[in-house]
Amino acid sequence: MSQAVSEVNTPAPPGRSPRGAASPWASLAVLSSGALMTIIDGNIVTVAMPAIQSDLGFSAAGLAWVVNAYLIAFGGLLLLVGRLGDLVGRKRMFVSGLAVFTAASVVCGVATGQGVLIAARALQGVGGAMTSAVVLGMLVALFPEPREQARAIAVFSAVGAAGGAIGTFLGGALTETLSWHWIFLINLPIGVVALVAAVRVLDSDRGTGLGEGADYPGAALITGALMLTVYTIVSAAGHGTATTVLLAAASLLLYVAFTVRQARAARPLLRLRLFRSRVLTGANAVQMAMIAGMYGFQYIGALYLQRVLGYGELMTGTAFLPAPVVIGTLMLGLSARVIGRFGAHRTLLVGLTLITAGLALLGRLPAEGSYAVDVLPGMLLLSAGFAAAMPAVTGLAMSGASDEDTGLASGLFNTTQVVGGSLGIAVLTTLAASRTESLTGHGTGALAATADGYRLAFLVAAGIAAAGLALAATVLRPGGPRR
């Protein structure tokens, strides 16, 4: 709600900002650029990991914390800062997040030691959460008219989808041509421009005030619960089953304690009535399944290209470029019109069907495969499905929240993305590794065993996406009570 919620809570007419301020589309461009920086960063690191490990002397276990430190801070804080954005003002939260993220990126770029890099990555996660958590709420306030809102969500979703593939490409290009330091330093000029534009373009809002929801014990409980959840997921491969179960149980206890606190608090941080919305709750659950499959494709697909087909870093990044082209073209050219004509629910079902089919097609990748024949068709199906499904599920999720809870709903939606993506990668990589290890132990060649492990991962991902499709078909069907 690009802070385009003016100080009086009267929505502006579609296509116009209150009191003659900047166009909503200019505000959308600013919001998208800020979000793009954090989305690119989430993928750009993956391709550069071997270079970072070699330069700073990370062990395999230590290297994982270059990613985990970011994910834990980012995923753990999204819900909290989304609510704080409602209270202190969403523009203030967005601008502060840009500043924190940009400063942390510079520290990452000049880091010469493991501890400094990991700490700066955690700080990046804080800034990324502050920026990302309030964006959807700002966007919904900017575009209250349904058709314009569908167009805006399609644009924003296209930027986000493109950012993932662009990050993979830039990670390989910058690491090979310059050094891994530049995957972080590139955020400095982008961040400064986005920060200046945000201050000048976005309308200010006062928020409802900290007194309306500053439940600090509840904030501590939910932040701890989410951080422990993400930590449990991303570190599961390095822990035994007993440790993982204990961590999961501890996370559950924190969630229970938070729920009890919110039910009794005079001014709760999270109004539990939010989850009474069938549409909002169902859309978040569907998104979690969808994102688990999509993140699995990005991660497992990159591993297949490198470890089975023998691609280098730059070639791997280049191989992913058709995805953002298809996603961007379809989202910007068709998604909003298709949703407007056939409805978000039908569009979501078609998108999830294509995603499931694409993952199932990738489940037949051979050891002696070809990118054009074996990888590209599945990638194109996935991209087309994501272009249809993501704007539809986003619009459904945000439509299930009241005006006063849009910042919180935005934070919740982003939180389910992080948890779904982390869970998908953790489960699928573990299954692939276990399958490969089992086959090599029985005498199968390393290449064939590796490919077989990836095939299993893609088939399981297809099953997860199919579960999301079934959930969408039943829970999100039109006509039932929205709350």
Side-chain angles (χ1 to χ4, degrees):
M1 298 182 197
S2 153
Q3 289 20 30
V5 187
S6 65
E7 294 173 5
V8 283
N9 294 320
T10 303
R16 295 179 58 191
S17 280
R19 287 182 275 173
S23 161
W25 295 101
S27 297
L28 175 61
V30 173
L31 295 175
S32 298
S33 64
L36 179 64
M37 185 169 62
T38 60
I39 292 167
I40 286 177
D41 190 81
N43 291 67
I44 201 170
V45 177
T46 305
V47 182
M49 294 285 270
I52 294 173
Q53 181 177 22
S54 176
D55 190 23
L56 299 185
F58 275 104
S59 64
L63 184 65
W65 281 98
V66 176
V67 174
N68 293 351
Y70 180 90
L71 286 177
I72 291 170
F74 185 81
L77 289 171
L78 277 168
L79 197 59
L80 171 60
V81 296
R83 183 56 180 161
L84 289 177
D86 289 334
L87 302 177
V88 304
R90 299 182 188 103
K91 176 180 178 178
R92 183 179 300 174
M93 184 63 69
F94 181 81
V95 170
S96 298
L98 284 178
V100 171
F101 187 89
T102 302
S105 296
V106 174
V107 177
C108 287
V110 300
T112 56
Q114 298 179 13
V116 173
L117 180 59
I118 291 173
R121 285 285 289 161
L123 189 59
Q124 269 192 315
V126 174
M130 294 169 68
T131 301
S132 302
V134 296
V135 168
L136 286 176
M138 297 168 76
L139 187 152
V140 170
L142 272 173
F143 299 93
E145 196 275 322
R147 286 186 177 273
E148 289 292 289
Q149 188 177 109
R151 287 179 57 199
I153 289 176
V155 171
F156 182 78
S157 299
V159 170
I166 291 171
T168 304
F169 173 75
L170 281 179
L174 291 173
T175 301
E176 282 197 7
T177 58
L178 297 172
S179 74
W180 66 264
H181 296 276
W182 284 95
I183 68 173
F184 299 112
L185 293 176
I186 195 174
N187 288 331
L188 178 58
I190 299 173
V192 170
V193 171
L195 188 60
V196 172
V199 171
R200 293 175 59 89
V201 172
L202 300 180
D203 293 332
S204 297
D205 64 318
R206 292 179 177 176
T208 57
L210 285 174
E212 293 297 317
D215 176 24
Y216 298 110
L221 286 170
I222 190 59
T223 301
L226 288 168
M227 284 187 171
L228 188 56
T229 298
V230 178
Y231 171 76
T232 302
I233 292 170
V234 300
S235 62
H239 291 151
T241 302
T243 301
T244 300
V245 170
L246 285 174
L247 290 172
S251 300
L252 180 60
L253 286 175
L254 287 174
Y255 285 120
V256 171
F258 172 73
T259 303
V260 172
R261 169 70 189 180
Q262 297 311 286
R264 297 179 177 179
R267 297 185 184 276
L269 178 76
L270 170 59
R271 298 178 180 91
L272 296 180
R273 70 166 187 268
L274 186 70
F275 296 101
R276 297 175 188 168
S277 167
R278 172 181 62 87
V279 174
L280 183 144
T281 303
N284 274 278
V286 169
Q287 184 204 209
M288 186 176 290
M290 180 178 75
I291 293 296
M294 292 298 298
Y295 272 49
F297 157 69
Q298 286 186 327
Y299 194 82
I300 300 294
L303 291 177
Y304 176 81
L305 291 173
Q306 291 178 319
R307 296 180 179 177
V308 177
L309 299 189
Y311 281 25
E313 296 164 340
L314 183 56
M315 284 186 67
T316 299
T318 304
F320 275 89
L321 286 181
V325 172
V326 172
I327 291 172
T329 300
L330 293 180
M331 278 188 178
L332 297 178
L334 290 175
S335 291
R337 281 183 284 177
V338 171
I339 291 172
R341 181 171 180 179
F342 298 104
H345 182 249
R346 291 181 180 177
T347 305
L348 175 61
L349 294 182
V350 171
L352 289 171
T353 300
L354 292 175
I355 289 173
T356 303
L359 289 169
L361 188 60
L362 291 169
R364 52 165 292 280
L365 289 175
E368 302 294 334
S370 161
Y371 169 75
V373 174
D374 300 302
V375 179
L376 187 59
M379 180 187 294
L380 295 178
L381 276 177
L382 281 170
S383 301
F386 189 79
M390 193 61 191
V393 77
T394 302
L396 286 169
M398 296 306 295
S399 72
S402 62
D403 290 343
E404 60 184 331
D405 289 326
T406 51
L408 178 61
S410 176
L412 177 64
F413 192 76
N414 282 284
T415 300
T416 59
Q417 281 191 6
V418 175
V419 173
S422 300
L423 187 61
I425 290 175
V427 170
L428 297 177
T429 55
T430 299
L431 287 173
S434 297
R435 177 66 173 168
T436 298
E437 184 179 350
S438 174
L439 289 174
T440 53
H442 287 82
T444 304
L447 191 65
T450 300
D452 196 276
Y454 296 153
R455 284 197 296 272
L456 174 63
F458 280 124
L459 289 175
V460 172
I464 294 172
L469 173 60
L471 188 63
T474 53
V475 175
L476 296 180
R477 68 186 185 281
R482 298 180 68 82
R483 296 183 180 277

